[in-house]
Amino acid sequence: MIWFAIFLFWQADPDQARFEQAQQLAAQGRCNDAAPVFRQLAAAHPKLAEISFALGQCEFTAKNYLEAADAFNRALEIDPQMMEARALYGAALGLSGRTAEAIVQLRAATRASDTYAPSFRLLGMFEVEDGQSGVEARTALERAVQLDASDARARYWLGRLQLLNEDYD
């Protein structure tokens, strides 16, 4: 009986099936095939942040950082509380060379949620990359490590910051 209900759901909403197919393509590393489907679905369902977010993840994985930033920004326009989208938006901006904008977005992300470790790690990382080796970078990286002690990247960037500051304690 459950399978019949699922079958009826699939029949009633072909866009759901297209979304899941595009997600499978993206998971296989086939962003060039998945992205057009995500774009069509985003145009057909402009109030669903999850579609723009999925497009952003796909583009990010394919290292199309400007396209990823645009998609994450659209997701945030729909749902400003989407923490992962905000962190990835900042990362995509930073990786596309827009470091100052990335830092602004990541600062906003850390203010919006003080429990999402990737936002703190990314903020500290881009601040260090940008030559900002002060208290804010250190605080962000220490918070990332505090939230997720297994995050080797946060520990790396904190260590790099300590070397830059000649802080060997």
Side-chain angles (χ1 to χ4, degrees):
M1 187 59 132
I2 292 174
W3 290 107
F4 183 69
I6 292 172
F7 176 74
L8 288 177
F9 172 76
W10 283 100
Q11 293 297 318
D13 191 0
D15 284 347
Q16 178 68 30
R18 290 180 65 218
F19 178 75
E20 290 181 9
Q21 289 170 338
Q23 284 185 310
Q24 288 175 355
L25 291 170
Q28 296 167 1
R30 297 174 51 196
C31 186
N32 289 339
D33 297 326
V37 176
F38 286 135
R39 284 190 194 93
Q40 291 168 355
L41 291 170
H45 303 279
K47 295 187 187 238
L48 290 177
E50 294 78 9
I51 297 171
S52 292
F53 180 73
L55 173 60
Q57 286 182 304
C58 184
E59 296 289 12
F60 192 91
T61 300
K63 298 184 181 184
N64 299 327
Y65 299 120
L66 289 175
E67 291 87 351
D70 289 342
F72 291 132
N73 188 40
R74 281 191 304 278
L76 288 167
E77 287 172 355
I78 299 164
D79 182 0
Q81 302 306 314
M82 196 178 250
M83 283 303 105
E84 189 174 1
R86 187 160 308 280
L88 288 171
Y89 179 42
L93 287 170
L95 291 169
S96 67
R98 295 164 56 185
T99 307
E101 291 175 74
I103 291 171
V104 168
Q105 285 302 317
L106 292 164
R107 284 180 181 154
T110 60
R111 283 191 304 273
S113 172
D114 66 351
T115 60
Y116 192 66
S119 295
F120 288 95
R121 174 180 27 88
L122 290 164
L123 173 59
M125 178 187 86
F126 282 115
E127 286 179 331
V128 171
E129 283 279 305
D130 197 44
Q132 300 177 35
S133 58
V135 173
E136 189 169 354
R138 180 186 194 102
T139 302
L141 291 166
E142 286 175 345
R143 180 68 177 151
V145 170
Q146 179 185 28
L147 290 169
D148 182 1
S150 68
D151 187 344
R153 293 171 293 181
R155 289 182 175 283
Y156 166 81
W157 284 101
L158 182 57
R160 185 167 169 184
L161 176 63
Q162 290 168 333
L163 284 173
L164 287 171
N165 291 333
E166 297 181 4
D167 180 10
Y168 304 118
D169 292 332

